[in-house]
Amino acid sequence: MTTNAELAARFEEFADLLEADDVEYKPRAYRRAAENIRSYPSPIADRIEAGDRDAIENIDGVGDAIASKIVEYVETGGIEELEDLRADLPIDIADITRIEGVGPKTAGKLYRELGVQSLDDLEDAAEAGEIRDVKGFGPKTEENIRDNLEFARTVGQRQLLGEARPLADDVLAFLESLDDVDRCEVAGSIRRWRETIGDVDVLAATEDRESVVDRFVAWDSVDDEIESGPEKASVRVGESRVDLRVVVPEEFGSALQYFTGSKDHNVALRNYAIDRGMKLNEYGAFDVSEVAAAETGQRVGDRVAGETEAGMYEALGLPWIPPELREDRGEIDAAESGDLPDLITREDVRGDLHTHTEWSDGNTTIEAMVEAAADRGYDYFGIADHAEGPGIVGDMGLTDTEILEQVQEIHAVGEEAEIEVLAGIEANVDAAGEIDLSEAVIEALDVVVASTHSALGQDAETATDRLVHAIENPAIDVLGHPSGRLLNERSGLELDATALGAAAAEHDTALEVNSDPRRLDLWGSAVQAAREAGAPIAINTDAHQPSTLEYMRWGVHTARRGWAEPDDVINTWELPTLREFLH
């Protein structure tokens, strides 16, 4: 099955290769199309197979030419024009551009000057001192490339949560449709909502395991069978590997706990069990207090739990621990003492404070974004388009005059809207931690989000000092995507989340969990450290069109990985309380 993420990746590659070939204008059109394809609410391949080409051409940014390429890829598995581009520029463009500071244009230049096609070629050229001699580069760029090679090699092996989880939901829907399946659930890192995923792990309970395996392998969405047996199977769906394991119903809970992980959590939980005369494994919880030390086996002792996952924890005298917390970061001690957090849910979120429109790099109007927010049941909604500044390309950033003009339009839309509309801006935190907004603009705005878009190669101490300085600025309400990372693309700033949290707590500045699945910045452990330091948190989507308001799902689960409760998050607050916080 061709997934939307797979289609989007092809058009992102198109854009990169065109940019590497010094083609103007077209790359931006392809990137816009890719973003809208990725976030399209239903499988595009299904629409094509149903003969509904009009629906494809109605996707924002997808005209007749791009629609033809989408159809060609779905029907043939390739795009002839893309193949021609690859032949002209035989570059592993996705791998090479994961190096911080190496974009498509740089990759194209290194290919033309040094014949660099792959990360191995890039490493050879850097080690030989050849890159510094290319015009526009130098020793510092060469050193940066060497330092980032390991990151570029490792990140490409994992898939974004936002790409893998929708596929997992499709797998669950298929399994739930089978009469033989009693229960099913995702497992592994995807159930813990980690930001990147290796494989999609799924568990099913059934009395007829071989039948379920056979029907899973024969599922219409499966492109290739990797392996299968009487109790498990692995298949390829699009570019993703899906691993199914089937168990008998009475062992579903223990298997779910075991295969959810994490490994560190399971080891700590097993040790906790041993201290209490218990044994845990994928088959159940067993009382081994009366078992001789010489006895071995997976099912030794009296089985006291295993049918449900909650029962596995109850057998140890513990409450059920949410999967997001299972990283061995104190969750077992918290469960034992009754101090597990009451984690935030999507239903707790009252609004979104960081979104974009066509005024900067968004894809639609203020009215359309506000209407979509109202449809989600929000109480309030913030528009925060880009201000001009470092890291903002071309004319995407607004001048002070344009910001004031937009504020007037936001207020006009707000007068007609069903919800409260907040006028905001996404300012740019420069290398020294400053933002460039006039006092008149700051006075006119309801919310100022300030984010890093440049100087992302700073060391941890410099980066932390820079961000703390920004937090101390009374004009800034929210520090947006603090590290500036892009998952599987760039590592972003190293930072001390505890120091940021302490500064944020002192100066009433919220630290953002940016819900874009390419960012998820801050991440779980950083949210936990910041929260423990007393920092307020904001969960925002950074949405550029109505459909990407759904990104809130990823942000909420990321905040849950950081132990966040509703009161920790400013956009769960009622509007008067939020306005007071926003000065």
Side-chain angles (χ1 to χ4, degrees), residues 12 14 157 470:
E12 286 165 349
F14 238 126
Q157 300 170 10

Side-chain angles (χ1 to χ4, degrees), residues 243-258:
D243 294 330
L244 170 70
R245 183 177 296 266
V246 288
V247 299
V248 294
E250 57 266 28
E251 294 177 352
F252 181 77
S254 52
L256 183 60
Q257 193 285 317
Y258 180 85

Side-chain angles (χ1 to χ4, degrees), residues 327-529:
E327 302 290 348
D328 192 27
R329 295 202 304 259
E331 68 274 11
I332 295 174
D333 288 343
E336 183 180 30
S337 61
D339 292 326
L340 283 175
D342 180 14
L343 296 177
I344 185 172
T345 68
R346 278 197 287 174
E347 289 70 27
D348 295 317
V349 177
R350 295 177 181 268
D352 194 338
L353 303 176
H354 178 184
T355 66
H356 296 270
T357 74
E358 62 187 6
W359 277 71
S360 63
D361 61 339
N363 294 334
T364 192
T365 62
I366 296 170
E367 292 92 336
M369 292 297 286
V370 170
E371 182 179 350
D375 289 343
R376 293 180 66 84
Y378 284 157
D379 296 340
Y380 46 81
F381 186 69
I383 302 293
D385 274 310
H386 287 287
E388 62 181 358
I392 302 303
V393 178
D395 59 354
M396 287 196 305
L398 305 181
T399 65
D400 279 5
T401 299
E402 290 169 332
I403 294 170
L404 292 173
E405 290 173 358
Q406 190 195 38
V407 168
Q408 291 183 340
E409 181 167 332
I410 290 171
H411 287 163
V413 171
E415 289 176 2
E416 304 295 325
E418 300 174 11
I419 60 177
E420 192 77 10
V421 185
L422 304 179
I425 200 69
E426 184 179 11
N428 305 286
V429 178
D430 68 18
E434 300 286 349
I435 62 171
D436 186 15
L437 294 176
S438 70
E439 286 299 322
V441 164
I442 292 169
E443 280 294 317
L445 294 169
D446 296 306
V447 55
V448 174
V449 179
S451 308
T452 54
H453 296 102
S454 62
L456 300 178
Q458 293 175 325
D459 62 72
E461 183 178 358
T462 303
T464 300
D465 289 346
R466 166 193 185 182
L467 296 176
V468 167
H469 184 68
I471 288 168
E472 292 170 345
N473 186 333
I476 295 174
D477 301 300
V478 179
L479 185 68
H481 51 74
S483 82
R485 75 178 186 179
L486 288 175
L487 291 165
N488 286 358
E489 296 179 42
R490 69 183 184 216
S491 55
L493 296 168
E494 293 185 42
L495 50 83
D496 182 339
T498 299
L500 293 191
E506 181 180 354
H507 296 279
D508 281 343
T509 302
L511 302 181
E512 182 181 72
V513 174
N514 188 290
S515 304
D516 186 321
R518 292 164 295 185
R519 292 189 183 276
L520 298 184
D521 176 15
L522 293 171
W523 50 94
S525 60
V527 172
Q528 186 177 5

